[in-house]
């Protein structure tokens, strides 16, 4: 085939492309974008993140050529799912067990969050998981502020057969954490789990107390416990604690209570923070590793 013949063939192919392909225009996807907006907001993805995400989707598909036989709605949905997956997997899921086993002993983890998120139960589930993976642990009952907090933790420690260090109510929570770490060192225990007082993100005194616990305990890992049912409030809590204390990862609780868990996407998009576990019930084994596919399936379920 000569050069001229090749050019003629290319022109003919380009001409017939008009019948094979169509270019996506903004007006073609307006209704779909609006429906997705509603779906994301209903799933507790924050308004700001929803708008940024949908803007990214529009930029990715408007002007794109697709085969006329392709389903436009499916194209938009696939683009959104791919975008969400990229956001969630950008921070690769943290294998906390692997990290602990490869680190110097004792490995210190501090848990914190606002009142009522299920922090104490989450710590108990975490202990259960550690023991299943052959790791020994000790608990520091550093919530010396809330009535009955130490008793509640002691019940779990007794059931799970792990030692616990506690102090007097109104006492120094950092001193309790220090004693637990020293005990772990002398007894060759793998992990120290430090419980702290639940605090509202407006409570400056308790936040300063938490800073002091961090300074004394020098944790290897900081876990923020958040309630999946908290809606936009949950992201605001995360922003506050990131600015005031800093944290490495999130455990999201009460996911079994019909929560879509949209806060996961907000955390990953705005704070670049991974959710490592989900609390999906009250039993000790009800702590599941987070997966991006689980989130996408749940987000787009009817």
């Amino acid at each position: 085939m000569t050069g001229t013949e090749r050019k003629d063939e290319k022109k003919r192919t380009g001409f017939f492309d008009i019948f094979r392909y169509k270019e996506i225009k903004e007006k073609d996807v307006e209704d779909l974008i609006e429906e997705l907006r509603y779906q994301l907001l209903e799933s507790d993805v924050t308004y700001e993140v929803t708008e940024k995400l949908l803007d990214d989707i529009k930029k990715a598909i408007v002007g794109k050529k697709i085969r006329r036989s392709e389903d436009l709605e499916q194209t938009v949905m696939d683009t959104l799912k791919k975008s969400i997956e990229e956001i969630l997997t950008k921070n690769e899921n943290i294998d906390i067990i692997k990290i602990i086993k490869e680190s110097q002993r004792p490995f210190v983890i501090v848990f914190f969050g606002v009142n009522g998120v299920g922090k104490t139960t989450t710590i108990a589930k975490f202990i259960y998981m550690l023991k299943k993976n052959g790791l020994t642990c000790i608990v520091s009952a550093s919530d010396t502020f809330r009535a009955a907090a130490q008793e509640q933790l002691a019940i779990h420690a007794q059931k799970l057969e792990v030692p616990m260090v506690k102090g007097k109510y109104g006492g120094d929570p950092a001193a309790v954490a220090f004693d637990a770490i020293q005990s772990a060192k002398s007894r060759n225990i793998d992990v120290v789990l430090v419980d702290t007082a639940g605090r509202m993100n407006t409570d400056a005194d308790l936040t300063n107390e938490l800073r002091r616990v961090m300074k004394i305990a020098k944790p290897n890992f900081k876990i923020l416990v958040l309630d999946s049912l908290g809606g936009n409030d949950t992201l605001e809590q995360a922003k506050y604690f990131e600015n005031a204390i800093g944290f490495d990862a999130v455990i999201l609780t009460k996911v079994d209570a019909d929560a879509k868990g949209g806060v996961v996407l907000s955390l990953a998009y705005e704070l670049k923070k991974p959710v490592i576990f989900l609390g999906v019930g009250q039993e000790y084994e009800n702590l599941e590793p987070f997966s991006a596919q689980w989130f996408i399936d749940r987000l787009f379920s009817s």
Side-chain angles (χ1 to χ4, degrees):
M1 186 182 287
T2 66
T4 304
E5 287 173 330
R6 275 196 296 269
K7 283 180 184 177
D8 289 342
E9 178 66 24
K10 193 173 179 182
K11 282 180 184 177
R12 283 196 296 273
T13 304
F15 174 76
F16 284 112
D17 278 352
I18 296 169
F19 301 102
R20 294 191 191 112
Y21 297 94
K22 60 183 176 183
E23 184 179 304
I24 301 174
K25 297 186 172 13
E26 190 165 346
K27 65 179 182 180
D28 298 331
V29 295
E30 281 176 355
D31 291 344
L32 287 172
I33 293 291
E34 189 57 35
E35 181 59 33
L36 288 173
R37 178 179 288 108
Y38 174 78
Q39 196 166 346
L40 291 168
L41 293 173
E42 279 286 293
S43 300
D44 288 334
V45 180
T46 64
Y47 184 81
E48 291 77 14
V49 171
T50 295
E51 291 304 301
K52 287 174 186 173
L53 191 57
L54 293 178
D55 190 51
D56 289 346
I57 299 305
K58 279 197 280 190
K59 287 175 182 173
I61 62 174
V62 171
K64 180 181 177 182
K65 288 187 177 180
I66 61 170
R67 288 188 175 274
R68 290 188 178 273
S69 58
E70 282 185 53
D71 185 302
L72 180 60
E73 184 175 348
Q74 193 59 49
T75 300
V76 173
M77 193 64 75
D78 289 346
T79 304
L80 178 60
K81 286 180 180 179
K82 184 182 176 187
S83 180
I84 289 173
E85 191 173 9
E86 284 174 359
I87 291 166
L88 294 178
T89 54
K90 201 170 283 182
N91 293 332
E92 289 187 7
N93 199 8
I94 294 169
D95 186 345
I96 189 67
I97 299 298
K98 185 170 183 279
I99 291 171
I100 292 170
K101 287 184 174 180
E102 292 176 353
S103 299
Q104 191 174 345
R105 304 292 194 271
F107 191 90
V108 181
I109 306 174
V110 174
F111 294 78
F112 55 99
V114 304
N115 294 310
V117 296
K119 182 165 47 63
T120 303
T121 305
T122 297
I123 291 171
K125 291 175 181 178
F126 210 89
I127 294 168
Y128 179 82
M129 179 193 66
L130 292 175
K131 288 190 70 178
K132 273 188 70 177
N133 283 276
L135 293 163
T136 56
C137 48
I138 187 169
V139 188
S140 168
S142 291
D143 182 353
T144 59
F145 180 76
R146 183 171 64 88
Q150 295 192 38
E151 285 83 353
Q152 191 181 2
L153 195 58
I155 291 168
H156 289 302
Q158 188 174 10
K159 282 182 181 178
L160 292 163
E161 299 179 326
V162 296
M164 186 181 97
V165 176
K166 62 180 182 178
K168 294 179 181 178
Y169 278 112
D172 184 354
V176 180
F178 180 82
D179 289 345
I181 293 165
Q182 294 307 113
S183 181
K185 287 177 180 176
S186 65
R187 298 161 73 173
N188 202 29
I189 290 174
D190 297 321
V191 187
V192 181
L193 300 103
V194 182
D195 186 18
T196 60
R199 62 208 70 231
M200 295 309 293
N201 47 346
T202 53
D203 195 323
D205 289 341
L206 282 175
T207 300
N208 287 332
E209 182 187 89
L210 181 58
R211 285 196 187 102
R212 189 163 180 276
V213 170
M214 297 294 183
K215 189 174 181 180
I216 299 295
K218 296 183 176 62
N220 303 93
F221 207 77
K222 294 177 281 187
I223 293 178
L224 177 62
V225 183
L226 293 171
D227 184 342
S228 66
L229 301 172
N232 289 352
D233 232 17
T234 303
L235 183 63
E236 292 309 308
Q237 291 167 20
K239 285 179 179 177
Y240 172 81
F241 283 115
E242 173 64 2
N243 291 329
I245 308 294
F247 60 93
D248 299 300
V250 167
I251 293 179
L252 200 62
T253 65
K254 307 176 190 177
V255 175
D256 52 311
D258 200 31
K260 289 282 188 178
V263 68
V264 173
L265 187 56
S266 301
L267 286 165
Y269 196 98
E270 290 213 359
L271 294 180
K272 309 293 185 287
K273 296 292 182 177
V275 173
I276 54 172
F277 290 105
L278 304 168
V280 293
Q282 293 301 308
E283 303 303 319
Y284 290 142
E285 61 267 25
N286 294 150
L287 191 68
E288 295 184 358
F290 173 78
S291 82
Q293 192 55 55
W294 169 90
F295 174 79
I296 291 168
D297 291 344
R298 194 174 180 95
L299 188 66
F300 294 102
S301 64
S302 54

